[in-house]
């Protein structure tokens, strides 16, 4: 008998509620994916303001859930299990989703699974491309994370291969956008500007690629500073800033490091599949360069469609479905959110 | 009418089940004093209270929730819980001012104030007539700026000296107080008010100024 899983996400600035159906053969079908974003409320602050995000989550939670059930043509009584992001993320934001999820679980008398947001970004790919090969490698890139993960089992066996030592890739996009006078969030406008620019115009540094640097870690803080310095020097000389070229050259540096390290890790570990997910996965240069390099290395590349890559409830429902299918124990109803939940903890068993 | 009451506006994580008829009869209540455990405990407390009362959550006809004022994060745990329970159970959720819920339990015979701890060396307060009708507030303010007579609530106890208050119980909202404060809304059959938290403070957020230069000229 198939089971319906409700997924709730509130770790950052998107309130997401998703519904999926877990079929007997283990496949997971997307039924609804509703998101309310508070991104516009953060724009004038140039980054996510936790209290503003938390307030927005509380307002949006039930209306977003109502929309998800309407889209799926289901009622609450159809739900067989609930999955919620237990971390990592913003403490106050996580608490809203976890509180709501517990209440739904208690009222409907169904099991609750507190799950890992990062694993959700990987699990979401199964909604589009089917079961994940074991093992696979995942590159998560967004405003909040930049991580390279080895996934032996999406329901419980994930290990970190590398991560950023400073800024997340998406953060670097936001900061560089600000330097160039482009709007927040910086990803889409930089991608847009870069299309008209020359990616080899400026040779920006590739962070953490020296012989003594950790092979699979990332750093974007130096790149961000290099861009700011380049722009300031040009300004001082009274030159007009070639925004398109700066954007293209910056984007090239980010895409180059991310894909080079991901492909190298896959090759060294003998892993044949790379999944790229997270908000930055939608970046045109990252995906085209990844495609090029994966093809050359004989690696299968999977990138979920942009709507699934950004934070949403469907990814949490999808992960919940895999956790349920694997027979993991549910969480206790006194579960607490963990803003620093390690990626190795896919679900919090009671 | 079987009512579930929740409040997380103070360090007391409170959930209870009450029968509202001519009076309010509390059937069971769970309270834990822990300002850091609102999110962990409010749903287990609701389930435990229902179990002790011998009812199921789906038996309740309405939910009453304290809408604050209260420190943001804890306050939201109760409101998010109440909103989702109301959605899942298909019952109305009535917000009440948490200070009103405390006022309902004060038997003063004279005008009084309810004061709770707002942290950051401030208090939330509201003034009440002898019959428990709110006459001013809620506000958030430094206790030194206030001069009170009779006062209830944990903020009154905490800052008794600065407030010049004669402190009386209760210190926290209770199931009985919450349901009593919502009595008119519960019995009128009217649509509940929107679940708007009484934050009383704006989020701490500053718009960035001019971009900082990384080069020194
Ligand atoms: Zn994310």
């Amino acid at each position: 008998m198939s089971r319906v899983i409700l997924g709730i996400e509130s770790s950052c600035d998107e309130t997401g509620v998703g519904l999926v159906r877990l079929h007997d053969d283990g496949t997971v079908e997307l039924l609804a994916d509703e998101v309310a974003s508070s991104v516009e409320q953060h724009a004038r602050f140039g980054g996510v303001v936790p209290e503003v995000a938390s307030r927005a989550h509380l307002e949006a939670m039930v209306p977003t859930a109502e929309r998800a059930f309407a889209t799926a043509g289901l009622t609450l009584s159809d739900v067989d299990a609930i999955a919620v992001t237990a971390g990592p993320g913003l403490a106050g934001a996580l608490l809203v989703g976890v509180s709501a999820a517990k209440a739904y679980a208690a009222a409907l008398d169904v099991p609750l699974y507190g799950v890992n947001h990062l694993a959700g970004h990987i699990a979401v790919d199964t909604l589009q491309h089917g079961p994940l090969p074991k093992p696979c490698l995942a590159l998560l890139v967004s405003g909040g994370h930049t991580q390279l993960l080895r996934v032996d089992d999406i329901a419980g066996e994930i290990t970190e291969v590398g991560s950023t030592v400073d800024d997340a890739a998406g953060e670097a996009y936001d900061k560089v956008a600000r330097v160039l006078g482009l709007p927040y969030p910086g990803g889409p406008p930089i991608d847009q500007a870069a299309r008209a620019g020359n990616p080899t115009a400026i040779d920006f540094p590739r962070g953490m690629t020296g012989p003594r640097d950790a092979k699979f870690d990332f750093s974007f803080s130096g790149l961000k500073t290099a861009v700011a310095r380049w722009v300031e020097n040009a300004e001082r000389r009274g030159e007009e800033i070639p925004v398109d070229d700066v954007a293209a050259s910056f984007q090239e540096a980010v895409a180059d490091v991310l894909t080079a390290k991901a492909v190298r890790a896959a090759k060294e570990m003998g892993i044949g599949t790379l999944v790229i997910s997270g908000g930055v996965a939608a970046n045109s240069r990252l995906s085209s360069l990844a495609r090029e390099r994966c093809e050359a290395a004989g690696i299968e590349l999977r990138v979920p469609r942009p709507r699934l890559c950004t934070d949403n409830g469907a990814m949490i429902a999808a992960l919940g479905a895999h956790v349920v299918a694997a027979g993991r124990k549910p969480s206790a109803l006194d579960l607490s959110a963990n803003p620093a939940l390690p990626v190795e903890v896919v679900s919090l068993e009671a | 009418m079987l009512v579930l009451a929740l409040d997380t506006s103070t360090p007391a994580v409170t959930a209870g089940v009450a029968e509202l008829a001519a009076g309010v009869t509390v059937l069971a209540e769970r309270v834990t004093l822990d300002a850091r455990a609102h999110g962990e405990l409010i749903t287990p407390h609701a389930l435990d209270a229902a179990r002790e009362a011998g009812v199921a959550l789906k038996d309740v006809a309405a939910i009453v929730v304290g809408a604050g004022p209260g420190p943001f994060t804890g306050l939201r745990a109760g409101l998010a819980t109440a909103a989702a329970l109301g959605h899942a159970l298909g019952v109305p959720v009535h917000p009440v001012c948490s200070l009103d819920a405390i006022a309902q339990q004060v038997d003063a015979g004279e005008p009084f104030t309810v004061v709770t701890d707002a942290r950051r060396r401030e208090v939330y307060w509201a003034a009440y007539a002898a019959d428990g009708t709110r006459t001013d507030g809620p506000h958030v303010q430094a206790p030194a700026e206030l001069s009170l007579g009779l006062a209830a609530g944990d903020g009154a106890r905490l800052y008794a000296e600065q407030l010049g208050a004669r402190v009386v119980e209760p210190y926290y909202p209770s199931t009985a107080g919450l349901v009593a404060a919502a009595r008119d809304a519960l019995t009128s059959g009217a649509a509940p008010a929107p679940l708007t938290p009484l934050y009383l403070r704006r989020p701490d957020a500053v718009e960035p100024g001019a971009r900082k230069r990384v080069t020194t000229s």
Side-chain angles (χ1 to χ4, degrees):
Chain A
M1 226 185 63
S2 73
R3 282 167 283 183
V4 172
I5 319 292
L6 170 69
I8 295 178
E9 153 66 28
S10 72
S11 66
C12 191
D13 60 346
E14 321 277 354
T15 312
V17 179
L19 285 160
V20 302
R21 188 180 296 281
L22 168 63
H23 291 283
D24 294 340
D25 62 359
T27 56
V28 185
E29 178 195 355
L30 178 61
L31 304 176
D33 173 20
E34 293 294 325
V35 172
S37 178
S38 62
V39 65
E40 279 167 24
Q41 296 180 52
H42 306 288
R44 67 194 171 104
F45 301 111
V48 175
V49 181
E51 176 61 21
V52 171
S54 300
R55 290 185 180 194
H57 283 307
L58 178 59
E59 265 179 55
M61 187 53 69
V62 168
T64 307
E66 285 172 336
R67 286 208 311 277
F69 282 98
T71 305
L74 295 177
T75 64
L76 284 139
S77 58
D78 294 317
V79 172
D80 296 296
I82 293 169
V84 63
T85 302
L90 303 168
L94 288 167
L95 179 92
V96 176
V98 168
S99 297
K102 287 180 182 187
Y104 281 119
L108 302 173
D109 198 17
V110 297
L112 172 73
Y113 296 83
V115 300
N116 192 303
H117 177 85
L118 302 172
H121 273 304
I122 308 167
V124 77
D125 186 61
T126 63
L127 295 175
Q128 191 178 341
H129 298 122
L132 289 165
K134 296 180 182 184
C136 63
L137 191 70
L139 174 64
L140 299 190
V141 272
S142 75
H145 5 278
T146 305
Q147 272 166 315
L148 204 49
L149 305 167
R150 181 190 165 105
V151 184
D152 286 286
D153 177 0
I154 188 61
E157 216 185 324
I158 300 179
T159 41
E160 186 175 286
V161 176
S163 74
T164 180
V165 298
D166 41 56
D167 295 346
E171 252 179 299
Y173 268 88
D174 293 340
K175 289 172 180 169
V176 166
R178 192 148 178 262
V179 166
L180 293 175
L182 298 171
Y184 170 90
I190 287 185
D191 201 356
Q192 188 62 38
R195 283 165 208 263
N198 174 7
T200 59
I202 309 155
D203 189 18
F204 286 129
R206 270 58 171 165
M208 297 289 280
T209 51
R212 276 189 298 276
D213 288 329
K215 256 194 307 190
F216 301 130
D217 282 343
F218 305 96
S219 165
F220 295 104
S221 162
L223 171 60
K224 165 197 78 189
T225 308
V227 173
R229 182 173 295 127
W230 194 93
V231 168
E232 283 168 25
N233 286 336
E235 278 169 347
R236 193 167 296 123
R237 292 192 300 268
E239 296 167 10
E240 199 184 315
I241 305 302
V243 171
D244 296 350
D245 285 348
V246 176
S249 301
F250 160 75
Q251 179 153 291
E252 190 65 20
V254 174
D256 181 22
V257 175
L258 288 172
T259 54
K261 292 206 176 203
V263 168
R264 181 175 174 188
K267 281 209 281 206
E268 284 192 15
M269 298 164 101
I271 295 175
T273 304
L274 173 67
V275 180
I276 303 185
S277 188
V280 179
N283 180 269
S284 65
R285 184 55 186 151
L286 178 63
S287 47
S288 67
L289 192 55
R291 198 164 304 121
E292 214 175 277
R293 288 181 171 171
C294 281
E295 221 160 89
I299 294 165
E300 181 207 10
L301 176 67
R302 295 169 51 143
V303 184
R305 59 182 176 268
R307 183 65 171 72
L308 295 178
C309 274
T310 49
D311 290 352
N312 62 73
M315 68 188 228
I316 301 307
L319 177 58
H322 293 295
V323 166
V324 167
R328 304 271 161 190
K329 271 193 282 181
S331 306
L333 280 185
D334 65 355
L335 162 80
S336 46
N338 180 354
L341 188 68
V343 69
E344 289 78 13
V345 183
V346 175
S347 73
L348 291 164
E349 292 181 297
Chain B
M1 178 193 283
L2 192 65
V3 181
L4 174 68
L6 308 171
D7 191 283
T8 57
S9 67
T10 72
V13 186
T14 301
V17 177
E19 183 64 37
L20 174 67
V24 178
T25 311
V26 175
L27 304 179
E29 184 173 45
R30 285 284 182 283
V31 182
T32 299
L33 280 183
D34 184 347
R36 303 187 60 82
H38 295 108
E40 285 81 355
L41 295 180
I42 189 68
T43 287
H45 277 14
L47 281 172
D48 289 346
R51 203 168 294 137
E52 188 189 313
V55 300
L57 287 179
K58 62 175 168 47
D59 298 331
V60 308
I63 297 168
V64 175
V65 62
F72 309 154
T73 302
L75 179 61
R76 275 190 290 266
L79 284 163
T81 302
L85 283 174
H87 179 208
L89 299 170
V91 299
V93 183
H94 297 276
V96 297
C97 172
S98 299
L99 303 177
D100 292 0
I102 294 176
Q104 287 291 328
Q105 302 294 100
V106 177
D107 190 10
E110 60 179 289
F112 63 95
T113 309
V114 173
V115 187
T116 57
D117 183 11
R119 311 221 189 121
R120 302 182 192 181
R121 297 199 203 99
E122 289 188 316
V123 292
Y124 301 115
W125 68 274
Y128 295 84
D131 68 354
T133 313
R134 176 151 36 104
T135 54
D136 191 10
H139 303 288
V140 62
Q141 218 169 339
E145 294 170 15
L146 298 168
S147 175
L148 306 179
L150 198 70
D154 69 330
R157 183 171 53 169
L158 196 60
Y159 293 105
E161 221 164 290
Q162 287 177 61
L163 295 165
R166 285 180 288 127
V167 181
V168 293
E169 291 195 57
Y171 301 132
Y172 306 107
S174 62
T175 299
L178 289 160
V179 176
R183 168 191 292 278
D184 290 348
L186 287 164
T187 51
S188 74
L195 277 185
T196 309
L198 297 166
Y199 291 123
L200 306 192
R201 284 184 184 130
R202 303 173 73 83
D204 286 327
V206 280
E207 291 183 40
R211 173 161 63 85
K212 279 201 222 82
R213 306 193 71 87
V214 297
T215 50
T216 50
S217 54

